[in-house]
Amino acid sequence: MFKLPASADVHVIEGQYSLPLVVLSFVLAFAASYTALFINRRIKENGFFSKSFWLALASLAMGLGIWSMHFIGMSAFMLPVHMEYRISVTILSIIPAIIASYLALYFANRKNNSVVTYIAAGIYMGIGISLMHYIGMAAMEMGADYVYKPSLFILSVVIAMGASFASLYIFSIINKFMDRVVVKVLTSLLLAVAITSMHYTGMSAVQFYTTGKAPAAGHGDHAMDIGWVIGLVTICTISLFLLAGLTSQLDKYVDYRLKNFDALTKLPNQKQFADDQKNGDKAYSVAIIHLHNLEKYIMGYGYSAADDVVKSISERIESLLPQHVKLYQTEANRFTIVHTEGGQSEKLVASLEKICAVLKLPALIEGRAVTVEMVCALSTSDEPEYIQKHFSNAIAVLQSPSTSYNHEVIEFNPAIHTFNFERQLAMDIQSAMDHHQLFLVYQPKMDPEKEQLAGLEALIRWRHPVYGMISPGVFIPILEESQKIYDVTDWIIERACEQISLWNKKNVPFGQVSINIPGIYVTSPRLTGTLNENLEKYSIHPTQLELEITETSVIHDMDNAILALGKFRDKGLSVALDDFGTGLSSLSYLKRMPITTIKIDKSFVDGVPTSEKDAELLKAIIILGYSLKLHVVIEGVETNSQIEFLRAMEKQPIVQGYYYSKPLEAGELEEWMGRKVLVAK
Ligand code: C2E
Ligand code: CA
Ligand code: CA
């Protein structure tokens, strides 16, 4: 195997490579690696299909890729003798490639691997690739014999192991960034280099020879009939790619259907209802149809009979509703209807009354006529109102002792239905803090001149288990009323400081984080205590924090506010005046208040640049801010033309708005920063 025969008529023959096929072999190795990484990403996600399914599919793609690269690489090699493959051994050689890929991906996806594990995985994968390669060689039948040069033979196996180890190790480090196409491309290139370099070192280890007559010079009849191999592997790789794409879409869809729709009635469920209100959406009406005492039917007739009842009721409701409504099944015995069309509430009420009348007619269950008790609670408004608000009004109707189940529509009346959304939220807030329903998002503030990040504003979010996403515009005023705002602000300060210290450790250059401080809290000694405690606990430099206050909220106690703010400034904290221009805005206050920054309210930029008056006013405010030696931030910038207007100014204000980014969670923000590259110091 390693030694040329010692006879005199041995003729060593040199082969040549066809460059286009070598390139094609590399491209195939790359395409397969990319496909494998693409599929592999799904392993991290908890989808409908199991992780093993994705692992198997990724291994298949990778194994097929290594295998096809090998055969294209072989066909790139030209000898002046006849060459062909034994099909059975050729097909057999794919098995070690797939097993090696499986082992490699299995280890690479495991958490907390040690370097030793990666070395072991590199060895397995290297053995697999080498096995496939040398079994593939044995599948060749040709008019020549061959031996291996021992040193290159060993080198090829070592390269296979070393390169596999390196790729796996690097893969494990950058796996968390694998969502980015550029990272997937770079990793695939690395894997392709590993696979092809092993192959071509392996090939240079082979010495071909004939005995007897020397083969004719030239390489006219070298051609192996491997057109079919090329065709097959190309088709396989493309199909795998398509399959991966298709299955991942299917996986997402099945998962979404399972989570967001009721299995029985196929209606969107409570989760979908909550998701639909992420943006604090508004509607004209919300109605809840409540089926009473369903348990009675379950006890009497069994679950499947009760299911039949609910299903037939849902079909009847659906058929009787007017247009422009969305129907959800928010609980096993509750249907929620959201109506978004103005001036149509009479039509809706008529439909709801019809539904009540129809449901009053007995339905047949197991041959017996049964009437399900029900009631429909309704909340409507002339102007669009937060859906959450309507929903809680309808709940209040259902919870009222005066409500019975007489197949009627009962409209919310605040005098009777005293369940109170505000009170409920104030009660829920403690549990929200304890159960991770509250979280902070951060909105970038950008310097448009340098296109650099100037700082962040921390904004609170509440994902409520019943009402879905509630806007801070709704719950902050409620918390202020109920005094709960102190606890929540302390919580916000601590979370923001914790995040700052994390970013400091990771060297994330975020500039400065602003926190909104409610007016009633500004003068409280408790605020000073909380700030000192957290600055110390998280080792934060005071210049990394800014407090945002509004003038309307401090105006009633201006002297004390000025005193408190002065102390914060002395400590090194920045202070911004939020929503500038919306309050009473006396310029004398502006002069007296020890602030560092003004944040011009969104309403001043909305009409710019279309309205000349608005544009002039905005310019004047910005110039005023700068003339008072303040930083100027402008909020709510959404369009390119607004940015262009600001860019034309001699001294441009800092910009915060959807034009650059919506508020983002910390992880998303880091990705966003990665894309924006440079950051101001
Ligand atoms: P704010 O302090 O004036 O915050 C700016 C609001 O404008 C944020 O709404 C932000 O998402 C939104 N915004 C930013 N850029 C744009 C844009 O280009 N277009 C539009 N349409 N909106 C933009 P958000 O987060 O809903 O907060 C609303 C208000 O709730 C805040 O107004 C603030 O008064 C209060 N708030 C939010 N988070 C907190 C907090 O952590 N503590 C306190 N006390 N109040 C908070
Ligand atoms: Ca603010
Ligand atoms: Ca503001």
Side-chain angles (χ1 to χ4, degrees):
M1 181 183 174
F2 293 112
K3 244 181 132 138
L4 278 173
S7 127
D9 56 357
V10 167
H11 304 279
V12 173
I13 44 179
E14 297 294 335
Q16 288 189 18
Y17 281 103
S18 144
L19 188 63
L21 284 181
V22 171
V23 173
L24 179 65
S25 73
F26 184 83
V27 171
L28 249 162
F30 168 77
S33 306
Y34 189 89
T35 313
L37 293 181
F38 176 78
I39 301 174
N40 188 66
R41 213 180 36 150
R42 306 280 314 165
I43 295 176
K44 284 192 287 178
E45 294 165 24
N46 279 325
F48 177 69
F49 295 111
S50 75
K51 291 184 179 358
S52 329
F53 170 82
W54 293 113
L55 188 59
L57 205 65
S59 314
L60 200 67
M62 193 77 222
L64 198 71
I66 299 175
W67 182 77
S68 36
M69 181 274 133
H70 170 80
F71 282 97
I72 305 284
M74 292 299 296
S75 73
F77 187 65
M78 301 181 288
L79 279 179
V81 292
H82 174 73
M83 297 161 84
E84 65 182 348
Y85 283 108
R86 264 184 292 155
I87 294 188
S88 54
V89 186
T90 305
I91 291 177
L92 188 74
S93 69
I94 197 175
I95 296 172
I98 294 176
I99 294 178
S101 305
Y102 178 84
L103 285 174
L105 287 170
Y106 173 77
F107 280 111
N109 283 305
R110 262 187 9 174
K111 283 192 187 122
N112 308 325
N113 282 330
S114 68
V115 177
V116 180
T117 323
Y118 286 111
I119 294 176
I123 292 175
Y124 293 141
M125 192 174 178
I127 292 176
I129 296 176
S130 311
L131 257 178
M132 186 231 44
H133 180 86
Y134 290 106
I135 294 178
M137 287 292 292
M140 268 194 340
E141 281 190 336
M142 56 189 155
D145 292 315
Y146 60 85
V147 289
Y148 291 110
K149 293 178 201 157
S151 53
L152 284 174
F153 177 84
I154 294 169
L155 182 67
S156 74
V157 180
V158 172
I159 288 185
M161 291 176 178
S164 304
F165 162 74
S167 317
L168 289 178
Y169 191 62
I170 295 173
F171 174 87
S172 73
I173 296 169
I174 56 180
N175 196 9
K176 55 174 174 291
F177 305 113
M178 217 34 100
D179 284 347
R180 289 202 213 145
V181 172
V182 58
V183 177
K184 276 206 286 284
V185 168
L186 286 177
T187 315
S188 311
L189 278 176
L190 198 75
L191 277 168
V193 168
I195 298 165
T196 41
S197 56
M198 185 273 143
H199 173 84
Y200 289 106
T201 321
M203 287 306 288
S204 64
V206 194
Q207 210 167 18
F208 293 92
Y209 67 91
T210 55
T211 42
K213 195 169 148 305
H219 37 80
D221 61 345
H222 72 282
M224 289 187 281
D225 183 18
I226 61 154
W228 64 272
V229 183
I230 302 181
L232 189 71
V233 290
T234 316
I235 291 171
C236 284
T237 315
I238 293 174
S239 342
L240 261 175
F241 197 68
L242 290 179
L243 183 72
L246 209 75
T247 341
S248 98
Q249 285 310 314
L250 191 69
D251 184 59
K252 272 190 205 152
Y253 183 69
V254 172
D255 202 41
Y256 166 73
R257 288 294 305 193
L258 284 180
K259 282 192 186 133
N260 293 46
F261 288 79
D262 186 84
L264 175 69
T265 59
K266 311 278 185 292
L267 289 173
N269 61 13
Q270 166 68 41
K271 178 166 183 306
Q272 184 67 42
F273 177 67
D275 285 356
D276 281 354
Q277 281 133 63
K278 274 211 167 76
N279 308 319
D281 284 351
K282 295 185 172 182
Y284 285 92
S285 315
V286 169
I288 303 176
I289 295 178
H290 172 92
L291 310 179
H292 189 58
N293 230 347
L294 266 190
E295 303 79 19
K296 198 168 78 186
Y297 304 103
I298 296 172
M299 303 279 262
Y301 305 95
Y303 279 99
S304 98
D307 279 356
D308 289 348
V309 172
V310 173
K311 178 126 185 51
S312 85
I313 289 179
S314 88
E315 282 163 5
R316 276 186 276 174
I317 294 174
E318 232 176 328
S319 66
L320 291 169
L321 283 175
Q323 285 184 320
H324 306 296
V325 301
K326 192 145 186 204
L327 175 64
Y328 302 84
Q329 187 176 3
T330 41
E331 275 172 64
N333 62 336
R334 275 183 187 171
F335 298 91
T336 298
I337 295 148
V338 177
H339 190 224
T340 47
E341 202 73 349
Q344 305 265 325
S345 66
E346 275 158 30
K347 237 189 193 166
L348 177 71
V349 173
S351 306
L352 294 173
E353 277 170 350
K354 190 143 185 214
I355 289 170
C356 291
V358 167
L359 294 184
K360 203 171 182 175
L361 302 172
L364 273 185
I365 306 183
E366 312 248 304
R368 280 211 265 166
V370 180
T371 302
V372 177
E373 295 169 39
M374 59 81 64
V375 71
C376 176
L378 173 68
S379 167
T380 52
S381 54
D382 296 334
E383 292 301 317
E385 174 59 273
Y386 286 112
I387 293 176
Q388 285 142 1
K389 177 88 180 143
H390 275 314
F391 183 73
S392 71
N393 288 346
I395 294 274
V397 174
L398 293 177
Q399 288 186 345
S400 164
S402 64
T403 299
S404 52
Y405 308 99
N406 291 333
H407 299 88
E408 59 185 335
V409 178
I410 305 178
E411 203 163 329
F412 171 73
N413 176 344
I416 305 169
H417 308 114
T418 48
F419 165 86
N420 184 303
F421 182 56
E422 284 80 4
R423 213 180 316 137
Q424 186 64 43
L425 283 191
M427 264 157 53
D428 289 348
I429 193 72
Q430 188 58 47
S431 132
M433 285 190 278
D434 296 342
H435 295 102
H436 309 289
Q437 293 165 18
L438 294 186
F439 59 99
L440 291 184
V441 287
Y442 299 87
Q443 187 174 33
K445 288 186 267 182
M446 292 287 289
D447 178 339
E449 204 170 344
K450 303 187 196 131
E451 280 285 308
Q452 285 179 339
L453 185 68
L456 303 168
E457 177 175 3
L459 294 157
I460 193 163
R461 295 289 176 265
W462 186 353
R463 193 181 288 119
H464 193 283
V466 176
Y467 306 122
M469 267 323 204
I470 312 178
S471 160
V474 173
F475 69 83
I476 291 284
I478 296 175
L479 298 181
E480 284 183 1
E481 287 273 304
S482 71
Q483 315 284 312
K484 291 274 173 29
I485 195 69
Y486 300 114
D487 291 345
V488 175
T489 307
D490 286 357
W491 182 92
I492 294 168
I493 293 172
E494 167 138 31
R495 291 287 81 74
C497 289
E498 190 181 33
Q499 186 60 59
I500 292 175
S501 95
L502 261 172
W503 279 331
N504 282 343
K505 280 187 197 130
K506 283 166 71 180
N507 277 329
V508 176
F510 57 88
Q512 184 183 50
V513 174
S514 314
I515 301 177
N516 290 285
I517 305 292
I520 42 173
Y521 203 20
V522 172
T523 48
S524 159
R526 180 171 156 183
L527 175 64
T528 318
T530 307
L531 284 169
N532 288 341
E533 216 173 87
N534 284 293
L535 286 172
E536 194 175 325
K537 180 171 172 192
Y538 293 99
S539 315
I540 288 167
H541 200 269
T543 53
Q544 295 190 301
L545 263 193
E546 181 173 68
L547 309 179
E548 282 190 19
I549 54 146
T550 58
E551 65 193 309
T552 26
S553 63
V554 291
I555 212 149
H556 58 273
D557 192 7
M558 196 48 100
D559 292 335
N560 280 327
I562 289 170
L563 228 87
L565 296 179
K567 284 190 187 144
F568 295 137
R569 286 290 311 280
D570 292 344
K571 206 189 290 296
L573 296 161
S574 310
V575 177
L577 191 59
D578 202 357
D579 302 341
F580 182 77
T582 58
L584 302 168
S585 273
S586 151
L587 291 181
S588 66
Y589 286 136
L590 196 56
K591 219 179 77 190
R592 282 177 62 204
M593 283 219 280
I595 53 169
T596 41
T597 309
I598 52 168
K599 294 189 78 176
I600 302 173
D601 191 69
K602 179 176 183 302
S603 52
F604 288 90
V605 78
D606 282 343
V608 172
T610 338
S611 152
E612 211 170 293
K613 248 189 186 167
D614 286 9
E616 283 310 314
L617 184 59
L618 180 63
K619 244 189 215 167
I621 300 176
I622 294 172
I623 292 168
L624 169 79
Y626 281 132
S627 69
L628 291 171
K629 308 252 175 324
L630 296 170
H631 297 286
V632 178
V633 177
I634 168 130
E635 284 192 291
V637 175
E638 294 181 346
T639 66
N640 200 27
S641 51
Q642 289 171 335
I643 281 284
E644 268 165 20
F645 172 82
L646 296 171
R647 283 223 173 97
M649 291 195 63
E650 196 183 331
K651 199 155 185 242
Q652 303 173 14
I654 301 296
V655 168
Q656 180 181 351
Y658 294 171
Y659 174 80
Y660 282 113
S661 171
K662 293 200 168 186
L664 302 168
E665 286 186 54
E668 296 172 319
L669 181 84
E670 285 171 33
E671 276 185 25
W672 180 90
M673 282 166 144
R675 292 197 294 274
K676 280 272 162 198
V677 202
L678 283 174
V679 169
K681 293 275 169 227

